[in-house]
């Protein structure tokens, strides 16, 4: 609460939204818990007020923690009596008569039936509460989707919101997204951002990153199965056997799979199952708008939304450059000369995120005070030639190749 709820926010709405949309809900049950309106309301929201997760037919993981003995907490008749008498009067007196506590006792009984952690059953020691927390964390981690690291995304906010909305809507004719564009255009960063936004709505998710036209092997399929949560399979089996295992595992599950940097159709043939459970989503990134189709992929490809990554507009390009150069920390360029120099660098990068990050990173790496030293940056012919020949050149620009250009363009 201290980190996530800012001053002046409606904390009631924030807590209610969190309770209704969390993947894991830890219920610490004491005698007092059952007589606290906000505790009981949050539990009710967690059990019955799902939003997107309800569409995916997924429920949160409820972890009951009995801090007191269960017989002291779960006294059904007493809970019913309290919330039809004194508790109901208290709600009305505090102008919370919009809350309906009629099912709260049933909620406690439902939680009691789940796999609970009893504090008093832990070994009696000074570290009992530590052990209790550890048990909770171990249980919770299994249900929390792994988030992948992403770089900042600029200029694609509207497109990202639209794509997330499209992928979130249950549609049997839509399986996912094919993001394509030249190297350095930001498709991987964009796809990972989409993956993070969607992963919390799936119990099974995985991301596989390929290197150029490498052949898919057992290590890729083993990683895929582990990320999806499969157990009890032999990791040293042949790739074909593991692919069959993957097919069997996802057959009746809604899964989210991202495959990054696809170069050949054979990679898809050797990695992805031939069919997916209802509600599944697949995100693929590639430099190619399409690949020669194998028979099974033709049908899958028809269910993918193909999206070409565009170059950043000037405003977004400037924002990304300034972030990479560490110029967005409340600092401003103090002169027209510096602004012109910054403008030339951003213009030379032609809206390519990779080129902007490399150029901005060079400013930050070569100058302790980037603003003070930006006047020393001379946009010489080498930098202009490297970036201004157009998109076909920029896809080959990597930090190692840019380094001599940047160094030569800095006047010590």
């Amino acid at each position: 609460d201290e980190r996530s709820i800012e001053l002046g926010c409606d904390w009631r709405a924030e807590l209610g939204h969190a309770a209704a949309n969390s993947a894991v809900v830890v219920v610490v049950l004491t005698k007092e818990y059952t007589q606290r309106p906000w505790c009981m309301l949050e539990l009710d929201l967690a059990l019955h007020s799902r939003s997107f997760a309800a569409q995916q037919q997924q429920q949160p993981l409820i972890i009951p923690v009995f801090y007191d003995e269960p017989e002291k907490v779960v006294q059904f008749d007493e809970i019913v009596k309290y919330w039809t008498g004194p508790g109901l009067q208290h709600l009305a007196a505090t102008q919370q008569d919009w809350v309906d506590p009629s099912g709260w006792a049933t909620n406690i009984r439902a939680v009691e039936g789940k796999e609970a952690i009893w504090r008093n059953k832990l070994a009696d020691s000074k570290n009992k509460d530590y052990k209790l927390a550890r048990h909770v964390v171990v249980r919770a981690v299994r249900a929390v989707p792994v988030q992948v690291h992403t770089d900042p995304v600029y200029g694609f906010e509207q497109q990202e919101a639209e794509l997330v909305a499209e992928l979130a809507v249950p549609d049997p004719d839509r399986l996912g997204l094919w993001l394509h564009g030249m190297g350095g255009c930001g498709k991987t960063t964009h796809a990972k951002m989409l993956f993070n936004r969607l992963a919390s709505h799936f119990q099974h998710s995985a991301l596989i990153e390929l290197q150029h036209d490498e052949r898919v092997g057992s290590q890729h399929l083993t990683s895929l199965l582990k990320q999806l949560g499969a157990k009890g399979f032999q990791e040293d089996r042949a790739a074909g056997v593991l692919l069959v295992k993957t097919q069997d595992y996802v057959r009746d599950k809604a899964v989210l799979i991202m495959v990054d940097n696809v170069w050949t159709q054979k990679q898809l043939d050797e990695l992805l199952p031939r069919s997916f459970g209802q509600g599944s989503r697949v995100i693929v990134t590639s430099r190619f708008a399409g690949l020669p189709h194998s028979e099974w992929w033709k049908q899958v490809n028809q269910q993918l939304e193909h999206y070409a990554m565009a170059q950043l507009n000037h405003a977004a390009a400037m924002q990304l450059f300034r972030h990479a150069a560490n110029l967005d920390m409340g600092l401003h360029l103090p002169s027209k000369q510096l602004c012109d120099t910054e403008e030339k660098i951003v213009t030379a990068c032609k809206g390519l995120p990779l080129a902007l990050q490399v150029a901005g990173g060079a400013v930050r790496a070569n100058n302790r005070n980037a603003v003070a030293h930006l006047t020393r940056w001379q946009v010489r012919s080498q930098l202009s030639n490297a970036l201004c020949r157009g998109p076909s050149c920029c896809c080959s620009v990597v930090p190692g190749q840019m380094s001599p250009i940047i160094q030569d363009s800095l006047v010590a």
Side-chain angles (χ1 to χ4, degrees), residues 1-6:
D1 298 351
E2 294 178 356
R3 293 193 302 269
S4 301
I5 301 180
E6 299 179 356

Side-chain angles (χ1 to χ4, degrees), residues 59 109 200 259 329 355:
Q59 292 296 319
R109 177 170 285 180
S200 61
V259 185
M329 305 299 291

Side-chain angles (χ1 to χ4, degrees), residues 283-337:
I283 302 173
V284 179
T285 71
S286 176
R287 296 194 180 194
F288 308 102
L291 295 170
H293 300 323
S294 54
E295 286 302 317
W296 77 276
W297 185 255
K298 287 182 180 179
Q299 181 178 359
V300 173
N301 190 61
Q302 293 174 356
Q303 296 177 291
L304 297 178
E305 182 78 20
H306 286 248
Y307 185 84
M309 293 294 295
Q311 295 176 6
L312 292 175
N313 60 41
H314 186 75
M318 181 67 74
Q319 189 179 10
L320 177 55
F321 170 76
R322 291 180 65 81
H323 176 82
N326 206 24
L327 297 173
D328 60 348
M329 305 299 291
L331 301 174
H332 301 281
L333 296 179
S335 70
K336 184 179 184 302
Q337 180 185 4

Side-chain angles (χ1 to χ4, degrees), residues 14 41 75 79 82 85 121 133 161 173 185 209 228 245 251 272 277 291 305 317 333 345 367 371 378 383 388 391:
E14 294 289 336
L41 177 59
Q75 298 181 9
I79 298 174
Y82 180 80
K121 282 191 175 183
D173 296 326
C185 69
E209 297 177 279
L228 291 174
K245 173 67 176 177
R251 190 185 310 278
L272 292 180
L291 295 170
E305 182 78 20
L333 296 179
I345 296 171
N367 302 283
V371 174
Q378 304 296 320
L383 178 59
C388 292

Side-chain angles (χ1 to χ4, degrees), residues 115-236:
E115 185 180 354
I117 300 174
W118 293 12
R119 179 177 181 271
N120 290 340
K121 282 191 175 183
L122 299 175
D124 189 17
S125 69
K126 296 180 180 179
N127 296 324
K128 182 176 288 190
D129 286 337
Y130 168 79
K131 291 180 179 179
L132 175 65
R134 191 169 182 273
H135 276 276
V136 172
V137 170
V138 170
R139 289 268 297 277
V141 163
R142 298 171 187 167
V144 176
V146 175
Q147 299 286 290
V148 296
H149 171 73
T150 63
D151 295 318
V153 176
Y154 297 100
F156 299 112
E157 291 82 359
Q158 182 177 352
Q159 296 93 321
E160 179 190 340
E162 292 173 354
L163 291 172
V164 168
E166 289 183 8
L167 293 172
V169 175
D171 185 347
D173 296 326
R174 179 183 291 116
L175 178 60
L177 181 68
W178 181 286
L179 274 173
H180 61 91
M182 57 181 293
C185 69
K187 57 185 178 293
T188 295
T189 299
H190 197 50
K192 286 182 176 180
M193 190 69 70
L194 292 172
F195 181 89
N196 283 346
R197 293 279 297 275
L198 293 170
S200 61
H201 305 305
F202 290 84
Q203 292 183 350
H204 311 277
S205 58
L207 185 152
I208 301 297
E209 297 177 279
L210 301 175
Q211 301 297 323
H212 194 52
D213 57 351
E214 69 172 328
R215 182 170 181 177
V216 172
S218 299
Q219 71 276 15
H220 297 97
L221 288 157
T222 297
S223 176
L224 178 61
L225 282 165
K226 284 184 174 180
Q227 291 183 61
L228 291 174
K231 298 179 181 179
F233 66 94
Q234 294 180 313
E235 299 181 18
D236 57 351

